[in-house]
Amino acid sequence: MIAVAFWTAVALVIYTYLGYPGIIYALSRLRRPAQPPGPFTPPLTMVIAAWNEESVIGEKLEQTLALGYPADLLQVIIAADGSDDRTAEIAAGYADRGVLVLHRPERAGKLAAIARAVDHATGEIIVFSDANNRYEPGALNAMAAPFADPEVGIVSGRKVVVEDDGLGFSEGLYWRYESAIKEWESRFGSCLGVNGEIIAVRRHLFTAPPSDVINDDSWMARLVLRLGYRIVYAKDAVSVERVSAHPADEIERRTRMFAGQWQTWSRLGREVPWRRPVVAWQLFSHKLLRPLLPLWMTVALIAGFLALFFPGSGTGFGALLRLAAPWNWVLFAAQIGFHGLALAGDRLTGPIGKAAFVPRFLLNANWASLRGLARHLSGTQTPLWEKVARREGQPGVPSA
């Protein structure tokens, strides 16, 4: 039983991190690559959520207006509800350049702000962005082009994190990993995940999420999938942002994200596209198994420890499968080494420090999942949007 528990847990971890990506990659190779979409520039509205963003809103608007999308087809709306700094005042200075500022002093949360902004939108396509990220030139054109296909309901762009240390390296590596999976999923049929800071949706498909929804972008993606539309990943639509200021800030950001994923687990009957079984399998494999990783890793660690005292028997490959000596010691030592390297990740420097931050990043993600579960069960995770501090002074990204 110890060996069965160990290998089951290990198999689930491997499937989540490597197995599903490998399967979706193989399946995507069976599909003929889609022809690159030609130019398609429908009327587009860009909604920028900006709560107390006076330090970046001016630069964000300058950069947005210089993205190259036809000016007569682009509407820009600043959703600044609840801001008690100069965000709305600074943005109002761009009114003569077509920027619409929506601001109410009461703060009802990001969801309420963007829903109100959509009510004022004139574009056929709505792009949602944050104030503290930077779009690369051509991003709006790259996001608009796939909508020439009427089966496409959402287009998600690519998130790039500026790397300058171990945390930046590990977070950047994670987003490259996620981008690869989304690209393969998109080629196979439809991707499942979206990047909330660079996402576009057909206006007639947008429905404001319920007020208690935590991950509004993921909720929107699941809704569009249930309606039978596809989600396309546009890798040429790039959003650049800085890494979190500290590992604790990244844990806090992920805690909120995982609380939203646990919320989805509690609403499987309503939020999973059961009538599209392949898409449902993708959703479970790519998204819903992630919060369970701490459970499988804990089971593997406990089973590995117990195998030191209750080893199996056998020879050759059978000895490995039954956790017989010396494999019980080797596998337990490997787990201890991984966790030890993770705990030392933020204390090491140079190339070794960067490499050590990868297991550190994974361990922090699992800790965030457990914190998210606790908040979900206790009902303490608020849907209100809380900013996470970002690094200062990284090139090409607005200061915060």
Side-chain angles (χ1 to χ4, degrees), residues 98-112:
V99 175
L100 173 64
V101 180
L102 300 178
H103 176 251
R104 292 190 301 193
E106 62 271 17
R107 186 185 181 207
K110 180 180 179 181
L111 296 185

Side-chain angles (χ1 to χ4, degrees), residues 79-339:
D81 288 1
S83 294
D84 54 13
D85 64 355
R86 296 181 60 244
T87 297
E89 177 187 345
I90 294 171
Y94 290 81
D96 60 343
R97 298 172 66 180
V99 175
L100 173 64
V101 180
L102 300 178
H103 176 251
R104 292 190 301 193
E106 62 271 17
R107 186 185 181 207
K110 180 180 179 181
L111 296 185
I114 63 175
R116 193 162 73 92
V118 171
D119 288 339
H120 291 77
T122 59
E124 296 175 11
I125 307 300
I126 312 293
V127 175
F128 296 102
S129 177
D130 294 336
N132 62 352
N133 61 333
R134 173 177 62 82
Y135 283 8
E136 292 285 345
L140 294 183
N141 298 74
M143 295 186 76
F147 285 106
D149 182 348
E151 294 184 353
V152 174
I154 283 180
V155 174
S156 178
R158 175 160 58 102
K159 177 176 178 176
V160 173
V161 174
V162 178
E163 304 174 16
D164 65 350
D165 62 0
L167 179 58
F169 171 76
S170 57
E171 190 173 343
L173 183 64
Y174 168 77
W175 284 110
R176 290 195 295 274
Y177 165 79
E178 278 293 309
S179 294
I181 296 175
K182 289 174 183 174
E183 187 174 357
W184 300 332
E185 287 177 334
S186 188
R187 175 170 170 171
F188 176 60
S190 177
C191 64
L192 280 298
V194 295
N195 295 324
E197 66 274 24
I198 183 164
I199 176 178
V201 61
R202 293 186 186 275
R203 185 177 59 171
H204 75 273
L205 293 179
F206 176 83
T207 300
S211 60
D212 64 337
V213 165
I214 297 170
N215 294 342
D216 55 293
D217 50 354
S218 297
W219 183 91
M220 193 186 312
R222 292 191 296 272
L223 172 63
V224 166
L225 290 171
R226 290 199 304 276
L227 292 174
Y229 288 85
R230 296 170 52 228
I231 298 175
V232 169
Y233 178 66
K235 67 177 181 179
D236 292 330
V238 180
S239 168
V240 183
E241 68 178 49
R242 288 158 301 152
V243 69
S244 301
H246 303 286
D249 296 317
E250 179 62 19
I251 292 175
E252 179 59 30
R253 187 185 71 82
R254 288 187 168 274
T255 295
R256 185 181 189 281
M257 178 190 73
F258 277 117
Q261 291 184 353
W262 286 113
Q263 184 183 63
T264 302
W265 268 107
S266 69
R267 301 175 176 181
L268 288 182
R270 288 175 285 169
E271 297 203 4
V272 174
W274 297 109
R275 294 183 179 181
R276 304 177 70 182
V278 173
V279 174
W281 161 71
Q282 289 181 260
L283 180 62
F284 272 93
S285 299
H286 189 176
K287 293 296 180 182
L288 295 182
L289 289 182
R290 295 277 181 92
L292 300 178
L293 285 171
L295 170 63
W296 313 135
M297 295 183 74
T298 300
V299 168
L301 188 63
I302 293 174
F305 176 74
L306 292 176
L308 301 180
F309 301 95
F310 306 99
S313 59
T315 58
F317 187 64
L320 174 62
L321 291 180
R322 297 183 179 88
L323 301 184
W327 291 111
N328 54 344
W329 291 95
V330 171
L331 294 171
F332 184 70
Q335 293 183 83
I336 293 299
F338 173 85
H339 290 288

Side-chain angles (χ1 to χ4, degrees), residues 301-386:
L301 188 63
I302 293 174
F305 176 74
L306 292 176
L308 301 180
F309 301 95
F310 306 99
S313 59
T315 58
F317 187 64
L320 174 62
L321 291 180
R322 297 183 179 88
L323 301 184
W327 291 111
N328 54 344
W329 291 95
V330 171
L331 294 171
F332 184 70
Q335 293 183 83
I336 293 299
F338 173 85
H339 290 288
L341 193 61
L343 293 174
D346 60 350
R347 298 178 179 85
L348 302 175
T349 59
I352 295 178
K354 281 191 173 185
F357 239 103
V358 175
R360 175 72 169 183
F361 184 85
L362 296 177
L363 192 67
N364 284 347
N366 289 334
W367 171 235
S369 177
L370 295 176
R371 294 179 74 214
L373 175 61
R375 290 187 187 179
H376 170 66
L377 294 176
S378 63
T380 56
Q381 178 60 61
T382 172
L384 288 180
W385 177 39
E386 296 292 343

